[in-house]
Amino acid sequence: MTRPSLTKDLKSEDFKEYYFLKEELKEFCRVNGLKVNGSKSELEERIIHYLDTGKSLEPQKVKIAPKNSSHEMISLESRIGENFKCSEDKRKFFEKEIGKGFKFKVKFQKWLKANPNKTYEDAINAYFEIQNSNEKTKIDKQFQYNQYIRDFFEDNDDKTLKEAIECWKYKKSLKGHNKYEKSDLEILKK
């Protein structure tokens, strides 16, 4: 069976079985008067609710945390604080201390958010430990393509990115999960 079109007539059970791009999800939401902002998983949840009930999912009330004053000077002794945000002033601080190659990579962001009582000096030390670690970053569920490509190359270091993408396109057109399997390579023989 080929992937069904994403329309309001699609059953939510069928929707859950296929991969849809975020842009497709947003377009469905636009056409059906649903909110189009949010993460891919939020869009999917909104669409599933709509397909099941024909109604818009009521947005949850969000508590807005008080903003940290960005006018405060950041020093090595400053505490990271609750609700850390990767802002321009913090990027400039880390670039000054670490160098122009600094990037707010996922592992470092998670460390910052998990350690609000640590200092920026602790953060710099953690940054270098993370950089020197060979441990792979966990890829979150909504980034299925990235996970597929990583798994593809772990199993096929002799293949090209073009071949990996061809296998991914084949896989996402099928019903079921989108995890890499050795059998996906069959599409390359056609």
Side-chain angles (χ1 to χ4, degrees), residues 142-160:
Q142 70 266 31
F143 303 112
Q144 295 173 41
Y145 168 82
N146 297 12
Q147 186 67 58
Y148 185 93
I149 298 299
R150 177 190 279 179
D151 294 344
F152 178 92
F153 281 117
E154 282 181 359
D155 197 42
N156 303 286
D157 59 358
D158 61 325
K159 301 281 187 237
T160 66

PDB file of all heavy atoms in Angstrom, residues 142-160:
ATOM      1  N   GLN A 142      11.605  13.141  17.107  1.00  0.00           N
ATOM      2  CA  GLN A 142      11.094  13.881  15.949  1.00  0.00           C
ATOM      3  C   GLN A 142      12.109  13.981  14.811  1.00  0.00           C
ATOM      4  O   GLN A 142      11.758  14.367  13.712  1.00  0.00           O
ATOM      5  CB  GLN A 142      10.594  15.280  16.349  1.00  0.00           C
ATOM      6  CG  GLN A 142      11.664  16.255  16.748  1.00  0.00           C
ATOM      7  CD  GLN A 142      11.921  16.301  18.233  1.00  0.00           C
ATOM      8  OE1 GLN A 142      11.772  15.310  18.920  1.00  0.00           O
ATOM      9  NE2 GLN A 142      12.321  17.440  18.740  1.00  0.00           N
ATOM     10  N   PHE A 143      13.344  13.607  15.057  1.00  0.00           N
ATOM     11  CA  PHE A 143      14.369  13.672  14.019  1.00  0.00           C
ATOM     12  C   PHE A 143      14.644  12.282  13.441  1.00  0.00           C
ATOM     13  O   PHE A 143      15.763  11.797  13.430  1.00  0.00           O
ATOM     14  CB  PHE A 143      15.651  14.300  14.583  1.00  0.00           C
ATOM     15  CG  PHE A 143      15.415  15.669  15.150  1.00  0.00           C
ATOM     16  CD1 PHE A 143      15.516  15.897  16.508  1.00  0.00           C
ATOM     17  CD2 PHE A 143      15.076  16.728  14.322  1.00  0.00           C
ATOM     18  CE1 PHE A 143      15.290  17.156  17.038  1.00  0.00           C
ATOM     19  CE2 PHE A 143      14.847  17.991  14.839  1.00  0.00           C
ATOM     20  CZ  PHE A 143      14.952  18.206  16.201  1.00  0.00           C
ATOM     21  N   GLN A 144      13.584  11.642  12.950  1.00  0.00           N
ATOM     22  CA  GLN A 144      13.672  10.275  12.452  1.00  0.00           C
ATOM     23  C   GLN A 144      14.637  10.158  11.273  1.00  0.00           C
ATOM     24  O   GLN A 144      15.345   9.168  11.145  1.00  0.00           O
ATOM     25  CB  GLN A 144      12.290   9.783  12.042  1.00  0.00           C
ATOM     26  CG  GLN A 144      11.335   9.668  13.204  1.00  0.00           C
ATOM     27  CD  GLN A 144       9.927   9.353  12.750  1.00  0.00           C
ATOM     28  OE1 GLN A 144       9.727   8.547  11.854  1.00  0.00           O
ATOM     29  NE2 GLN A 144       8.948   9.984  13.370  1.00  0.00           N
ATOM     30  N   TYR A 145      14.650  11.166  10.418  1.00  0.00           N
ATOM     31  CA  TYR A 145      15.552  11.155   9.260  1.00  0.00           C
ATOM     32  C   TYR A 145      17.010  11.082   9.737  1.00  0.00           C
ATOM     33  O   TYR A 145      17.790  10.263   9.251  1.00  0.00           O
ATOM     34  CB  TYR A 145      15.329  12.412   8.408  1.00  0.00           C
ATOM     35  CG  TYR A 145      16.397  12.642   7.361  1.00  0.00           C
ATOM     36  CD1 TYR A 145      16.350  11.979   6.145  1.00  0.00           C
ATOM     37  CD2 TYR A 145      17.457  13.518   7.592  1.00  0.00           C
ATOM     38  CE1 TYR A 145      17.334  12.174   5.179  1.00  0.00           C
ATOM     39  CE2 TYR A 145      18.436  13.722   6.639  1.00  0.00           C
ATOM     40  CZ  TYR A 145      18.376  13.049   5.447  1.00  0.00           C
ATOM     41  OH  TYR A 145      19.349  13.246   4.504  1.00  0.00           O
ATOM     42  N   ASN A 146      17.362  11.934  10.681  1.00  0.00           N
ATOM     43  CA  ASN A 146      18.744  11.959  11.183  1.00  0.00           C
ATOM     44  C   ASN A 146      19.137  10.609  11.780  1.00  0.00           C
ATOM     45  O   ASN A 146      20.247  10.119  11.556  1.00  0.00           O
ATOM     46  CB  ASN A 146      18.906  13.047  12.246  1.00  0.00           C
ATOM     47  CG  ASN A 146      18.674  14.426  11.704  1.00  0.00           C
ATOM     48  OD1 ASN A 146      18.182  14.608  10.597  1.00  0.00           O
ATOM     49  ND2 ASN A 146      18.989  15.430  12.479  1.00  0.00           N
ATOM     50  N   GLN A 147      18.211  10.012  12.560  1.00  0.00           N
ATOM     51  CA  GLN A 147      18.493   8.712  13.168  1.00  0.00           C
ATOM     52  C   GLN A 147      18.675   7.645  12.091  1.00  0.00           C
ATOM     53  O   GLN A 147      19.572   6.815  12.166  1.00  0.00           O
ATOM     54  CB  GLN A 147      17.368   8.313  14.130  1.00  0.00           C
ATOM     55  CG  GLN A 147      17.653   7.040  14.902  1.00  0.00           C
ATOM     56  CD  GLN A 147      18.799   7.198  15.877  1.00  0.00           C
ATOM     57  OE1 GLN A 147      18.753   8.049  16.736  1.00  0.00           O
ATOM     58  NE2 GLN A 147      19.824   6.377  15.741  1.00  0.00           N
ATOM     59  N   TYR A 148      17.816   7.686  11.079  1.00  0.00           N
ATOM     60  CA  TYR A 148      17.885   6.712   9.995  1.00  0.00           C
ATOM     61  C   TYR A 148      19.242   6.809   9.289  1.00  0.00           C
ATOM     62  O   TYR A 148      19.908   5.800   9.067  1.00  0.00           O
ATOM     63  CB  TYR A 148      16.742   6.941   8.995  1.00  0.00           C
ATOM     64  CG  TYR A 148      16.696   5.887   7.915  1.00  0.00           C
ATOM     65  CD1 TYR A 148      15.904   4.758   8.059  1.00  0.00           C
ATOM     66  CD2 TYR A 148      17.458   6.007   6.749  1.00  0.00           C
ATOM     67  CE1 TYR A 148      15.867   3.778   7.080  1.00  0.00           C
ATOM     68  CE2 TYR A 148      17.430   5.034   5.769  1.00  0.00           C
ATOM     69  CZ  TYR A 148      16.636   3.920   5.936  1.00  0.00           C
ATOM     70  OH  TYR A 148      16.609   2.947   4.973  1.00  0.00           O
ATOM     71  N   ILE A 149      19.642   8.023   8.951  1.00  0.00           N
ATOM     72  CA  ILE A 149      20.913   8.229   8.232  1.00  0.00           C
ATOM     73  C   ILE A 149      22.087   7.767   9.091  1.00  0.00           C
ATOM     74  O   ILE A 149      23.002   7.099   8.601  1.00  0.00           O
ATOM     75  CB  ILE A 149      21.073   9.707   7.798  1.00  0.00           C
ATOM     76  CG1 ILE A 149      19.947  10.111   6.822  1.00  0.00           C
ATOM     77  CG2 ILE A 149      22.441   9.957   7.193  1.00  0.00           C
ATOM     78  CD1 ILE A 149      19.875   9.340   5.524  1.00  0.00           C
ATOM     79  N   ARG A 150      22.070   8.080  10.396  1.00  0.00           N
ATOM     80  CA  ARG A 150      23.154   7.632  11.282  1.00  0.00           C
ATOM     81  C   ARG A 150      23.217   6.110  11.298  1.00  0.00           C
ATOM     82  O   ARG A 150      24.277   5.508  11.137  1.00  0.00           O
ATOM     83  CB  ARG A 150      22.943   8.156  12.705  1.00  0.00           C
ATOM     84  CG  ARG A 150      24.035   7.632  13.654  1.00  0.00           C
ATOM     85  CD  ARG A 150      23.740   7.919  15.097  1.00  0.00           C
ATOM     86  NE  ARG A 150      24.092   9.284  15.447  1.00  0.00           N
ATOM     87  CZ  ARG A 150      23.910   9.794  16.663  1.00  0.00           C
ATOM     88  NH1 ARG A 150      23.389   9.071  17.628  1.00  0.00           N
ATOM     89  NH2 ARG A 150      24.251  11.035  16.916  1.00  0.00           N
ATOM     90  N   ASP A 151      22.056   5.458  11.495  1.00  0.00           N
ATOM     91  CA  ASP A 151      22.017   3.991  11.563  1.00  0.00           C
ATOM     92  C   ASP A 151      22.430   3.368  10.232  1.00  0.00           C
ATOM     93  O   ASP A 151      23.112   2.335  10.208  1.00  0.00           O
ATOM     94  CB  ASP A 151      20.621   3.514  11.967  1.00  0.00           C
ATOM     95  CG  ASP A 151      20.246   3.933  13.387  1.00  0.00           C
ATOM     96  OD1 ASP A 151      21.149   4.325  14.153  1.00  0.00           O
ATOM     97  OD2 ASP A 151      19.048   3.872  13.715  1.00  0.00           O
ATOM     98  N   PHE A 152      22.018   3.992   9.123  1.00  0.00           N
ATOM     99  CA  PHE A 152      22.383   3.502   7.788  1.00  0.00           C
ATOM    100  C   PHE A 152      23.907   3.445   7.646  1.00  0.00           C
ATOM    101  O   PHE A 152      24.466   2.436   7.234  1.00  0.00           O
ATOM    102  CB  PHE A 152      21.781   4.425   6.708  1.00  0.00           C
ATOM    103  CG  PHE A 152      22.142   4.028   5.304  1.00  0.00           C
ATOM    104  CD1 PHE A 152      21.325   3.179   4.575  1.00  0.00           C
ATOM    105  CD2 PHE A 152      23.301   4.504   4.700  1.00  0.00           C
ATOM    106  CE1 PHE A 152      21.649   2.805   3.275  1.00  0.00           C
ATOM    107  CE2 PHE A 152      23.643   4.145   3.396  1.00  0.00           C
ATOM    108  CZ  PHE A 152      22.814   3.287   2.686  1.00  0.00           C
ATOM    109  N   PHE A 153      24.591   4.531   8.014  1.00  0.00           N
ATOM    110  CA  PHE A 153      26.041   4.580   7.845  1.00  0.00           C
ATOM    111  C   PHE A 153      26.793   3.724   8.859  1.00  0.00           C
ATOM    112  O   PHE A 153      27.892   3.261   8.573  1.00  0.00           O
ATOM    113  CB  PHE A 153      26.549   6.024   7.848  1.00  0.00           C
ATOM    114  CG  PHE A 153      26.318   6.704   6.525  1.00  0.00           C
ATOM    115  CD1 PHE A 153      25.490   7.799   6.423  1.00  0.00           C
ATOM    116  CD2 PHE A 153      26.913   6.221   5.366  1.00  0.00           C
ATOM    117  CE1 PHE A 153      25.262   8.420   5.204  1.00  0.00           C
ATOM    118  CE2 PHE A 153      26.699   6.825   4.140  1.00  0.00           C
ATOM    119  CZ  PHE A 153      25.870   7.922   4.057  1.00  0.00           C
ATOM    120  N   GLU A 154      26.205   3.494  10.021  1.00  0.00           N
ATOM    121  CA  GLU A 154      26.839   2.577  10.978  1.00  0.00           C
ATOM    122  C   GLU A 154      26.880   1.167  10.408  1.00  0.00           C
ATOM    123  O   GLU A 154      27.776   0.392  10.703  1.00  0.00           O
ATOM    124  CB  GLU A 154      26.096   2.593  12.314  1.00  0.00           C
ATOM    125  CG  GLU A 154      26.431   3.803  13.146  1.00  0.00           C
ATOM    126  CD  GLU A 154      25.714   3.832  14.490  1.00  0.00           C
ATOM    127  OE1 GLU A 154      24.927   2.911  14.795  1.00  0.00           O
ATOM    128  OE2 GLU A 154      25.941   4.795  15.232  1.00  0.00           O
ATOM    129  N   ASP A 155      25.912   0.837   9.555  1.00  0.00           N
ATOM    130  CA  ASP A 155      25.818  -0.494   8.960  1.00  0.00           C
ATOM    131  C   ASP A 155      26.425  -0.557   7.553  1.00  0.00           C
ATOM    132  O   ASP A 155      26.688  -1.644   7.052  1.00  0.00           O
ATOM    133  CB  ASP A 155      24.338  -0.904   8.901  1.00  0.00           C
ATOM    134  CG  ASP A 155      24.148  -2.386   8.703  1.00  0.00           C
ATOM    135  OD1 ASP A 155      24.876  -3.176   9.343  1.00  0.00           O
ATOM    136  OD2 ASP A 155      23.265  -2.765   7.910  1.00  0.00           O
ATOM    137  N   ASN A 156      26.638   0.591   6.913  1.00  0.00           N
ATOM    138  CA  ASN A 156      27.085   0.633   5.512  1.00  0.00           C
ATOM    139  C   ASN A 156      28.093   1.745   5.274  1.00  0.00           C
ATOM    140  O   ASN A 156      27.786   2.725   4.602  1.00  0.00           O
ATOM    141  CB  ASN A 156      25.874   0.890   4.583  1.00  0.00           C
ATOM    142  CG  ASN A 156      24.793  -0.137   4.730  1.00  0.00           C
ATOM    143  OD1 ASN A 156      24.921  -1.250   4.275  1.00  0.00           O
ATOM    144  ND2 ASN A 156      23.714   0.244   5.401  1.00  0.00           N
ATOM    145  N   ASP A 157      29.290   1.605   5.817  1.00  0.00           N
ATOM    146  CA  ASP A 157      30.265   2.682   5.647  1.00  0.00           C
ATOM    147  C   ASP A 157      30.790   2.787   4.215  1.00  0.00           C
ATOM    148  O   ASP A 157      31.485   3.738   3.871  1.00  0.00           O
ATOM    149  CB  ASP A 157      31.413   2.558   6.647  1.00  0.00           C
ATOM    150  CG  ASP A 157      32.166   1.243   6.533  1.00  0.00           C
ATOM    151  OD1 ASP A 157      31.787   0.389   5.693  1.00  0.00           O
ATOM    152  OD2 ASP A 157      33.133   1.055   7.296  1.00  0.00           O
ATOM    153  N   ASP A 158      30.416   1.846   3.352  1.00  0.00           N
ATOM    154  CA  ASP A 158      30.849   1.866   1.955  1.00  0.00           C
ATOM    155  C   ASP A 158      29.822   2.549   1.044  1.00  0.00           C
ATOM    156  O   ASP A 158      30.039   2.674  -0.154  1.00  0.00           O
ATOM    157  CB  ASP A 158      31.093   0.437   1.458  1.00  0.00           C
ATOM    158  CG  ASP A 158      29.830  -0.423   1.519  1.00  0.00           C
ATOM    159  OD1 ASP A 158      29.017  -0.231   2.461  1.00  0.00           O
ATOM    160  OD2 ASP A 158      29.664  -1.287   0.646  1.00  0.00           O
ATOM    161  N   LYS A 159      28.700   2.993   1.590  1.00  0.00           N
ATOM    162  CA  LYS A 159      27.630   3.591   0.789  1.00  0.00           C
ATOM    163  C   LYS A 159      27.732   5.116   0.808  1.00  0.00           C
ATOM    164  O   LYS A 159      28.421   5.707   1.634  1.00  0.00           O
ATOM    165  CB  LYS A 159      26.253   3.166   1.323  1.00  0.00           C
ATOM    166  CG  LYS A 159      26.030   1.670   1.337  1.00  0.00           C
ATOM    167  CD  LYS A 159      25.669   1.165  -0.035  1.00  0.00           C
ATOM    168  CE  LYS A 159      25.274  -0.294   0.016  1.00  0.00           C
ATOM    169  NZ  LYS A 159      26.047  -1.144  -0.841  1.00  0.00           N
ATOM    170  N   THR A 160      26.986   5.741  -0.118  1.00  0.00           N
ATOM    171  CA  THR A 160      26.999   7.201  -0.235  1.00  0.00           C
ATOM    172  C   THR A 160      25.769   7.800   0.438  1.00  0.00           C
ATOM    173  O   THR A 160      24.792   7.102   0.697  1.00  0.00           O
ATOM    174  CB  THR A 160      26.996   7.631  -1.716  1.00  0.00           C
ATOM    175  OG1 THR A 160      25.735   7.230  -2.297  1.00  0.00           O
ATOM    176  CG2 THR A 160      28.151   7.014  -2.483  1.00  0.00           C
TER     177      THR A 160
END
